[in-house]
Amino acid sequence: MESSGFWRRTPAFTPSKIHVEYSGQAITADTAVRGPSLQRTSSPEPTSRPLTATSQSPLSDQLSPLSIQSPLSAQSPHMPVDPTLEKFHGALGAATIDLALLQKLSWTGVPREYRAITWQLLMGYLPLASTRRAGTLQRKRKEYGDWVRQTFARGEDALDRVLWRQIQVDVPRTSPGSPVFQHPRVQRCLERILYAWAARHPASGYVQGINDLLTPFVYVFLEAECNGDTTALDRADLDAIDDARMDGVEADSFWSLSKLLDGIQDNYTHAQPGIQRQIVKLKDLVTRVDHALAAHLHNEGVEFVQFAFRWINCLLMRELRLASIIRMWDTYLAEPNGFATFHIYVCAAMLLKWSAQLRAMDFQQIMLFLQQPPALQWPAEDVELLLSEAYMLKCLYHDAPRHLHKN
């Protein structure tokens, strides 16, 4: 598949391939709260319990904190230490996290072993000071748990029926090809999170597409609870995760989604003005960088809103594999206003990649192509290239808005 010259200019960043090892040890103020522990500990014997939104409490009374074991401790003494793991271990092990350093390390990809804790720190869900982390985590998880118990105490009949019905319709459609998100236990988790967020944000309420934005958080936090089995999520072997840890995944996912949406909330208020503004910015950017492509789209009657609305509303969740999205979010979280600002440059870089092909298509062909772009099977290298090209666009145009307009 031919790509534009612009697309080929910058080499891609390639993250290291990492093997996952986790521990069942919980973070406490005196141990792993300062960062991943170097001591291997055995995991507790898991129990299984289906989660249901009934009069019974869907969340455990005791919510265990996120636990992470340093992958460095699992390496053979004769194996070379992975430099990326070593850097993250050092950054996360500090008494007070250097946020600028963590952002710099995360831009080129966060190792799977450290992704959950890194995302929570970058989003501001967890404090940078290690001595405050365990207490904050316990308080936030309890707050969410109390709210869920109170909301669902009287059963589904007491809920907003229109909202609850829409969520129940959308959840089974969320990542339909993933066994993880088709697992009943995870679906009940998604339903409660989405209802809780909508009820706490009446100005925007629930909008289709928010369900997609929840999935990376749930996947990453579930992955951190799979006790080192990297294939457990692919097998949807989720019943092996005990109740307290599953409850922690749910609470952490709720607060992380809330942090994300706080930064782009006008994307989901009435008339979605945030998305409209970003579509205008995307059109201006593409017009300046590739005037021939923009002119061809205009001549064929293609409006940017016809394809870019979904790209922005769902943050490309429908166009790329979940693994690619998770890698991209490493960078988004390391960027200032990554989901609101950097995402536009990612969308532009993706459109420019197909410039030559699009300029040879008519209206119908363009719409079919952009509604189902050939990005689902992209290898990791293409995702890295997309991010590096987006960064180049940002460096050239973000601080020079006049460059977006032709003289």
Side-chain angles (χ1 to χ4, degrees):
M1 186 172 292
E2 186 182 0
S3 61
S4 67
F6 175 84
W7 181 255
R8 294 194 296 267
R9 284 205 300 263
T10 303
F13 299 110
T14 304
S16 302
K17 294 183 178 179
I18 308 297
H19 179 67
V20 180
E21 290 288 343
Y22 292 106
S23 156
Q25 182 183 15
I27 294 178
T28 67
D30 298 323
T31 57
V33 72
R34 288 183 174 271
S37 169
L38 289 174
Q39 300 300 319
R40 179 187 293 271
T41 59
S42 60
S43 301
E45 191 67 25
T47 59
S48 176
R49 174 204 60 161
L51 297 181
T52 57
T54 66
S55 59
Q56 298 295 323
S57 167
L59 293 179
S60 300
D61 291 332
Q62 299 297 325
L63 294 172
S64 64
L66 177 70
S67 59
I68 300 181
Q69 177 197 8
S70 169
L72 299 178
S73 64
Q75 293 185 339
S76 166
H78 303 292
M79 292 175 60
V81 175
D82 187 297
T84 301
L85 291 176
E86 192 172 28
K87 289 176 183 177
F88 271 91
H89 178 71
L92 293 170
T96 300
I97 300 293
D98 183 337
L99 184 59
L101 173 61
L102 188 60
Q103 290 170 331
K104 181 179 179 180
L105 294 174
S106 300
W107 205 103
T108 53
V110 182
R112 190 191 308 257
E113 295 87 338
Y114 291 113
R115 184 170 276 132
I117 185 71
T118 298
W119 279 21
Q120 292 178 4
L121 289 164
L122 291 175
M123 297 200 74
Y125 171 47
L126 291 182
L128 301 179
S130 62
T131 55
R132 297 177 49 217
R133 213 166 294 152
T136 298
L137 197 61
Q138 184 178 17
R139 175 173 54 82
K140 298 298 285 185
R141 288 178 172 183
K142 183 179 185 302
E143 181 181 341
Y144 174 77
D146 290 345
W147 189 92
V148 168
R149 279 189 288 274
Q150 179 182 359
T151 301
F152 290 93
R154 293 180 293 172
E156 295 181 10
D157 291 341
L159 304 178
D160 181 322
R161 293 190 178 185
V162 175
L163 171 60
W164 183 244
R165 176 58 183 163
Q166 185 61 60
I167 289 172
Q168 287 189 311
V169 169
D170 288 347
V171 163
R173 299 173 180 173
T174 304
S175 298
S178 168
V180 175
F181 295 102
Q182 296 307 303
H183 194 287
R185 198 178 186 193
V186 174
Q187 289 188 344
R188 302 295 80 76
C189 171
L190 298 181
E191 288 172 355
R192 287 190 294 271
I193 293 171
L194 293 172
Y195 189 88
W197 188 86
R200 292 169 67 105
H201 297 81
S204 55
Y206 173 73
V207 177
Q208 286 179 305
I210 294 178
N211 55 312
D212 293 309
L213 305 187
L214 176 58
T215 56
F217 295 119
V218 173
Y219 192 93
V220 166
F221 299 156
L222 278 173
E223 193 173 52
E225 298 295 349
C226 283
N227 299 321
D229 185 353
T230 59
T231 64
L233 286 182
D234 294 331
R235 299 195 313 266
D237 187 18
L238 301 175
D239 290 329
I241 301 176
D242 65 67
D243 296 340
R245 293 183 181 279
M246 194 70 178
D247 296 345
V249 167
E250 181 175 333
D252 294 345
S253 299
F254 167 79
W255 291 115
S256 297
L257 177 69
S258 298
K259 287 285 188 180
L260 166 62
L261 294 177
D262 284 348
I264 55 174
Q265 188 152 350
D266 60 350
N267 284 9
Y268 304 102
T269 54
H270 178 68
Q272 299 179 278
I275 293 179
Q276 302 299 333
R277 288 195 300 270
Q278 291 180 69
I279 290 173
V280 171
K281 291 179 181 178
L282 175 62
K283 181 179 179 179
D284 288 345
L285 178 60
V286 172
T287 300
R288 182 56 180 163
V289 177
D290 191 340
H291 183 71
L293 173 59
H296 180 71
L297 294 177
H298 175 75
N299 292 337
E300 291 296 327
V302 176
E303 297 291 340
F304 273 68
V305 69
Q306 293 172 308
F307 62 88
F309 185 91
R310 192 176 77 174
W311 290 11
I312 298 169
N313 184 61
C314 300
L315 296 177
L316 294 174
M317 289 288 303
R318 309 281 178 88
E319 285 68 37
L320 295 164
R321 292 182 302 121
L322 181 58
S324 300
I325 292 294
I326 289 172
R327 167 60 194 94
M328 288 167 60
W329 282 25
D330 291 341
T331 298
Y332 282 20
L333 288 166
E335 278 280 330
N337 300 316
F339 294 95
T341 301
F342 190 70
H343 181 66
I344 298 303
Y345 295 99
V346 170
C347 290
M350 193 163 77
L351 192 63
L352 293 168
K353 172 179 172 60
W354 300 309
S355 176
Q357 294 135 280
L358 291 170
R359 284 185 278 114
M361 297 178 183
D362 60 21
F363 174 84
Q364 184 175 6
Q365 292 170 325
I366 292 171
M367 293 308 302
L368 289 174
F369 183 91
L370 293 179
Q371 287 172 0
Q372 292 184 316
L376 281 174
Q377 303 306 318
W378 275 1
E381 291 77 9
D382 281 0
V383 176
E384 300 299 328
L385 187 57
L386 178 70
L387 292 169
S388 62
E389 294 292 350
Y391 182 73
M392 183 195 306
L393 287 172
K394 180 190 173 187
C395 290
L396 290 172
Y397 295 102
H398 184 65
D399 293 324
R402 293 183 65 183
H403 290 181
L404 295 177
H405 304 284
K406 290 184 70 64
N407 295 326

